[in-house]
Amino acid sequence: MTAEPYDVLIVGGGVSGTALLYQLTRYTDIQRIALLEKYDSLAQVNSRSSNNSQTIHCGDIETNYSLEKALKVQRTAAMLVNYAQSLPAQERDTIIFKHSKMVLGVGARECQFLRQRFDVFSKHYSGMRLMEKDQIAELEPQVVAGRQGAQDEELVALAVVDEYTAVDFQTLSDSFVRQAKASGRDPAVHMNTKVEKMSQEDNGLYRVHTNRGDFVTRSLVVSAGGHSLLFAQQMGFGLNFSCLPVAGSFYFTPAVLKGKVYTVQNDKLPFAAIHGDPDVCVPGKTRFGPTALLLPMLERYNSSTIPEFFKVLRLDASVLKVLWDLMRIADIRNYIFRNFLLEVPFVRRLLFLRDARKIVPGLKLSDISFAKRFGGVRPQLIDKENKKLMLGEARIAPGQGLIFNMTPSPGGTSCLGNAEKDLRELVAFLGAKFDENSFRQELENS
């Protein structure tokens, strides 16, 4: 495509790839930067507004986070909010949204857990409030109304009332590219450009073969979900990993919640607990979910990625042992089986109603409809050497300006923090300059 190599080539136009594009153009002196996206629009896979929970995860109500992880996520979530708040109000209000949010404890065990968590976490989250049943009813009346044995059932919530809690990652991705182009650096953004393979040449440069010709670059960052692992393995890296794609589905109800209501995570399950959210792109609806279904594809609703899944599965005795160990746990085994049933028409609404009633007990079957073509795929990795399932983001960085990012939740929230890691590595490799003072002032308010 070009006689002169790019300095940085980014593969993937989701929120992770575009966040890096933005940071490189704004805070470094790197000149020749390009991004490749296989679709005709940005953020069409996991960053698409319909394919995730639209939540700014900052660690306060995510009960599967340790304090250490929560504080790391808190920093990167603040970077996202600071970025959006630096924009004109009209643009900001299409990206981030203020809703109340809470994690709801039902019953004595969950309530005790949340009270103990509040004692530890409230020191680090100034907006966190511990709410009893009456206070919950004021904020979310449908959560309390209609509960059987309401006089005896204990309810407690950790809540945040006046903060930005929701995000449209698709709109955020578009904003990152607009800001990158407005920087005066004019990075090249190539749409409808599908990567077929990539290789390193004898001179150290990387060659990326696409349906629109070859691109040559000094450094290469792949932020393409499960496909990042596919490309890494094609180049001989990450062979110790297998990919286990976990798909999530959602259900719509009328607007029964004013804000986000999460439930306490089952610590025996490596999957997200059900929650209800006002959908920022579908007015008048509450979206409940996600379910968790193991699907043999790297992109939801894209059957062409099934063969690619089998390439990254790399099925062997190590993978089978991890799957066997998971299935030996009754909670996980029952959960997986039940989530298969949640994909069966007619049956799924009835089964999901019971789950959703933990949050809104007054829901009726007629209130619930399956959210067609909503939900994405999280490429959870299996560490074949240690024979265990890896949770959270994964990154393969063999050096020499080559990086592969796989970013399940909270990868979207952490997009600017993850991009910072890539930026620092690229700056060191290329011998470029990094305006750290502006970076900290603008994204960290420090």
Side-chain angles (χ1 to χ4, degrees), residues 8 10 14-25 27-28 30 75-76 79 176 221 223 393 395 403 405 407 410-427 434 439 443:
V8 180
I10 302 166
V15 73
S16 295
T18 56
L20 177 59
L21 183 77
Y22 165 73
Q23 286 190 4
L24 290 174
T25 56
Y27 301 113
T28 78
I30 299 172
R75 172 182 176 267
T76 57
M79 293 168 69
F176 282 147
V221 180
S223 295
E393 300 104 335
R395 185 173 184 265
I403 301 169
N405 292 311
T407 51
T413 298
S414 300
C415 61
L416 288 166
N418 292 337
E420 180 190 356
K421 294 177 190 175
D422 295 347
L423 177 149
R424 291 181 182 277
E425 190 166 322
L426 294 169
V427 164
F434 172 36
F439 181 93
L443 294 183

Side-chain angles (χ1 to χ4, degrees), residues 304-375:
S304 69
T305 64
I306 293 176
E308 295 167 334
F309 157 72
F310 284 103
K311 290 180 182 178
V312 296
L313 176 62
R314 299 179 64 82
L315 186 65
D316 60 13
S318 297
V319 175
L320 290 172
K321 184 181 187 306
V322 172
L323 296 176
W324 173 250
D325 288 344
L326 288 174
M327 294 302 290
R328 288 174 61 190
I329 301 172
D331 285 39
I332 293 179
R333 184 172 63 250
N334 295 338
Y335 182 83
I336 290 174
F337 176 70
R338 192 169 187 277
N339 274 269
F340 274 112
L341 294 179
L342 284 170
E343 297 296 319
V344 178
F346 308 113
V347 176
R348 59 191 177 196
R349 289 173 55 237
L350 188 61
L351 286 175
F352 191 79
L353 178 64
R354 188 177 71 177
D355 294 339
R357 278 179 171 170
K358 182 174 182 179
I359 298 175
V360 180
L363 283 174
K364 302 181 181 67
L365 184 62
S366 58
D367 293 328
I368 293 182
S369 61
F370 183 74
K372 295 179 181 178
R373 301 195 70 81
F374 276 67

Side-chain angles (χ1 to χ4, degrees), residues 227-249:
H227 285 91
S228 294
L229 181 60
L230 177 67
F231 292 128
Q233 291 179 344
Q234 284 180 356
M235 296 185 69
F237 303 107
L239 299 177
N240 59 313
F241 295 123
S242 175
C243 183
L244 190 67
V246 180
S249 295

Side-chain angles (χ1 to χ4, degrees), residues 15 212 264 290:
V15 73
R212 300 182 65 186
V264 174

Side-chain angles (χ1 to χ4, degrees), residues 130-347:
L130 179 66
M131 289 189 171
E132 303 294 339
K133 185 181 295 186
D134 290 346
Q135 296 166 305
I136 297 170
E138 292 179 7
L139 185 61
E140 292 286 0
Q142 295 297 321
V143 169
V144 177
R147 289 191 178 269
Q148 293 181 353
Q151 297 301 318
D152 302 320
E153 188 173 41
E154 186 177 2
L155 295 180
V156 160
L158 303 185
V160 175
V161 175
D162 189 29
E163 292 182 6
Y164 286 104
T165 60
V167 56
D168 183 340
F169 290 111
Q170 188 173 349
T171 307
L172 177 62
S173 302
D174 290 331
S175 176
F176 282 147
V177 171
R178 281 197 303 272
Q179 293 298 316
K181 286 186 168 292
S183 68
R185 200 72 52 82
D186 195 25
V189 177
H190 299 275
M191 309 302 295
N192 295 304
T193 305
K194 184 178 181 179
V195 174
E196 296 167 349
K197 66 176 182 176
M198 50 187 64
S199 58
Q200 186 172 22
E201 302 188 326
D202 292 340
N203 58 7
L205 297 177
Y206 299 100
R207 182 173 295 273
V208 177
H209 309 268
T210 80
N211 62 322
R212 300 182 65 186
D214 291 0
F215 295 78
V216 179
T217 181
R218 297 170 63 195
S219 60
L220 175 62
V221 180
V222 185
S223 295
H227 285 91
S228 294
L229 181 60
L230 177 67
F231 292 128
Q233 291 179 344
Q234 284 180 356
M235 296 185 69
F237 303 107
L239 299 177
N240 59 313
F241 295 123
S242 175
C243 183
L244 190 67
V246 180
S249 295
F250 294 91
Y251 293 78
F252 279 128
T253 73
V256 292
L257 296 175
K258 297 180 180 179
K260 292 177 173 287
V261 181
Y262 277 57
T263 52
V264 174
Q265 182 82 16
N266 182 342
D267 57 11
K268 294 181 181 179
L269 295 176
F271 308 107
I274 184 176
H275 46 83
D277 309 81
D279 196 299
V280 301
C281 297
V282 185
K285 296 288 186 181
T286 297
R287 198 201 312 177
F288 283 88
T291 61
L293 180 68
L294 306 182
L295 280 185
M297 56 181 63
L298 297 185
E299 292 180 18
R300 191 74 185 272
Y301 308 113
N302 186 350
S303 59
S304 69
T305 64
I306 293 176
E308 295 167 334
F309 157 72
F310 284 103
K311 290 180 182 178
V312 296
L313 176 62
R314 299 179 64 82
L315 186 65
D316 60 13
S318 297
V319 175
L320 290 172
K321 184 181 187 306
V322 172
L323 296 176
W324 173 250
D325 288 344
L326 288 174
M327 294 302 290
R328 288 174 61 190
I329 301 172
D331 285 39
I332 293 179
R333 184 172 63 250
N334 295 338
Y335 182 83
I336 290 174
F337 176 70
R338 192 169 187 277
N339 274 269
F340 274 112
L341 294 179
L342 284 170
E343 297 296 319
V344 178
F346 308 113
V347 176

